[in-house]
Structure formats: structure tokens, C-alpha cells
């Protein structure tokens, strides 16, 4: 029995996810420059030609991985998409941030590795800057609405704190008291 268009789409999406997950693991463990298209294809159990059906080159693959991660973060922010963060939305965001961190430590290792590899940052710089700017503006408005004396500084501190938590967690997940830290942050910022 021939496959349906939906079955072909599911197969295609599955292959794309396999390539991205494999590349993510290799980029995180070996670094972007040391990872080759050949090594990604070999580890994924596919041909290089098939990989090139999905991605133009290694840079395109890296961008796709980072953009997907940023899209996952976007889903945390302002769940009702009204441009205003409430205390309930901040609590939801913090809770989901910790869940995402625990669910996909490989992505987060790569995410923070990217920041120390200047050529890689250049691949995603515009999108990254725009995303961070959008988050800071949302946090700043939230802190302003709560009567914070310096909402911009508080927004930057909040973002830097989440980055620091993520880096500490990925460096030593077994020793990091995730639930206790999450509860403290919610109490402080809600």
C-alpha cells in the first residue's frame, strides 16, 4: 500500500529531527569547527547526500538548531501573547524554563558553548540579539509595573540570573538543587 502525503511528511520530519539531534550532540561534545558533515551523517546512519537534502551546509544546520531552541524559549514568554507579563506568567515561565533545562541538557550545553565561539555567534547574531532585546523589554515592563526602582537593571539581572542558573546546572546537574532554586526565584520575582 503506498504511503500517504502525511506519512511522507512524518518520515521527512523524523529524519530532519534525527539529523539535528545528532548534530547537536556532536557540536556540544566536539565543538562546531571539529564536527564535520561526514561525522554527522555517519553517526545519524544516513548518507551525506540525504543530509544535504535537509540542510545546505553545516552553518545552516547550526542555525536551524539554535533557531529551534530560541523558538522553544519564545513559547515560555508571554503565553497569551498580549505583550504584557503577569505574575502568573512569570511563574509559568520560570517553571517551564527549569523543565526545558532538565528535559534537553544537550541543547543548553550547545547554547552556552555558542557564546564562546565567535564565528558561530556570527551565524545567529541578529536573531539572538533581537530575541534577547525582546525578552529584556518584556521583563523591564513587568518590573516597571511592579514599581521597581530600576526596571531595566532588574530585567538584565533577571535574564543574567537565568543564564547563570542554566550554566551551573549544565556544568553539574547532579549537584544542583533545581527545585529549591526554582522556588526561591519564583518567590523573589513573582
Amino acid at each position: 500500500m503506498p504511503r500517504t502525503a502525511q506519512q511522507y511528511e512524518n518520515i521527512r520530519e523524523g529524519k530532519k529531527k534525527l539529523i539535528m539531534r545528532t548534530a547537536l550532540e556532536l557540536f556540544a561534545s566536539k565543538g562546531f569547527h571539529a564536527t564535520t558533515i561526514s561525522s554527522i551523517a555517519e553517526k545519524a546512519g544516513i548518507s551525506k547526500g540525504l543530509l544535504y537534502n535537509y540542510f545546505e551546509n553545516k552553518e545552516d544546520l547550526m542555525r536551524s538548531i539554535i533557531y529551534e531552541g530560541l523558538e522553544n524559549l519564545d513559547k515560555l514568554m508571554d503565553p497569551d501573547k498580549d505583550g504584557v507579563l503577569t505574575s502568573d506568567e512569570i511563574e509559568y515561565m520560570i517553571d517551564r524554563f527549569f523543565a526545558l533545562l532538565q528535559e534537553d541538557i544537550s541543547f543548553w550545553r550547545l547554547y552556552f558553548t555558542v557564546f564562546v565561539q565567535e564565528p558561530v555567534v556570527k551565524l545567529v547574531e541578529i536573531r539572538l540579539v533581537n530575541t534577547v532585546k525582546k525578552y529584556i523589554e518584556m521583563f523591564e515592563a513587568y518590573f516597571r509595573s511592579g514599581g521597581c526602582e530600576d526596571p531595566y537593571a532588574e530585567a538584565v539581572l533577571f535574564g543574567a540570573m537565568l543564564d547563570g542558573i542554566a550554566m551551573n546546572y549544565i556544568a553539574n546537574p547532579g549537584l544542583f538543587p533545581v527545585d529549591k532554586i526554582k522556588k526561591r526565584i519564583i518567590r523573589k520575582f513573582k
Side-chain angles (χ1 to χ4, degrees):
M1 183 167 213
R3 291 184 176 139
T4 66
Q6 184 60 50
Q7 287 172 319
Y8 279 116
E9 183 58 33
N10 291 344
I11 290 168
R12 183 166 171 69
E13 192 59 32
K15 287 290 184 198
K16 185 176 181 181
K17 293 286 184 199
L18 170 67
I19 293 166
M20 290 174 69
R21 176 52 76 185
T22 302
L24 174 65
E25 291 170 8
L26 290 172
F27 291 151
S29 64
K30 295 183 174 186
F32 178 74
H33 291 294
T35 301
T36 64
I37 288 290
S38 294
S39 66
I40 296 166
E42 182 179 330
K43 183 165 178 151
I46 62 170
S47 70
K48 281 176 31 177
L50 181 60
L51 192 149
Y52 283 118
N53 281 333
Y54 293 92
F55 303 98
E56 291 179 25
N57 52 37
K58 186 169 73 166
E59 291 78 8
D60 181 41
L61 178 52
M62 172 61 92
R63 266 190 228 90
S64 296
I65 292 167
I66 298 297
Y67 289 177
E68 181 180 74
L70 291 173
E71 287 168 16
N72 286 337
L73 286 176
D74 279 345
K75 292 174 187 172
L76 300 178
M77 303 297 169
D78 192 23
D80 62 5
K81 304 297 180 213
D82 67 354
V84 177
L85 291 176
T86 66
S87 63
D88 287 341
E89 288 173 325
I90 285 287
E91 182 174 356
Y92 170 83
M93 186 216 49
I94 292 168
D95 185 60
R96 289 302 306 144
F97 170 79
F98 278 90
L100 278 177
L101 191 59
Q102 292 173 287
E103 290 166 8
D104 200 353
I105 199 167
S106 295
F107 169 76
W108 293 105
R109 281 192 178 111
L110 173 62
Y111 179 82
F112 285 103
T113 300
V114 166
F115 289 101
V116 296
Q117 298 179 37
E118 186 177 335
V120 177
V121 172
K122 296 277 186 219
L123 294 174
V124 296
E125 186 172 30
I126 293 170
R127 173 83 181 266
L128 193 58
V129 166
N130 289 335
T131 299
V132 169
K133 181 180 178 194
K134 176 176 68 175
Y135 295 165
I136 295 297
E137 288 171 354
M138 288 174 66
F139 296 149
E140 182 179 11
Y142 173 75
F143 292 123
R144 182 179 297 109
S145 72
C148 181
E149 182 180 313
D150 188 346
Y152 177 76
E154 193 75 3
V156 172
L157 173 66
F158 182 70
M161 184 185 59
L162 293 178
D163 286 345
I165 287 167
M167 286 191 291
N168 279 280
Y169 176 75
I170 65 172
N172 220 340
L175 297 177
F176 197 84
V178 173
D179 291 330
K180 288 180 181 181
I181 299 294
K182 178 173 69 173
K183 287 176 186 173
R184 290 193 65 166
I185 292 170
I186 289 171
R187 274 195 314 268
K188 179 169 177 50
F189 291 101
K190 184 173 176 188

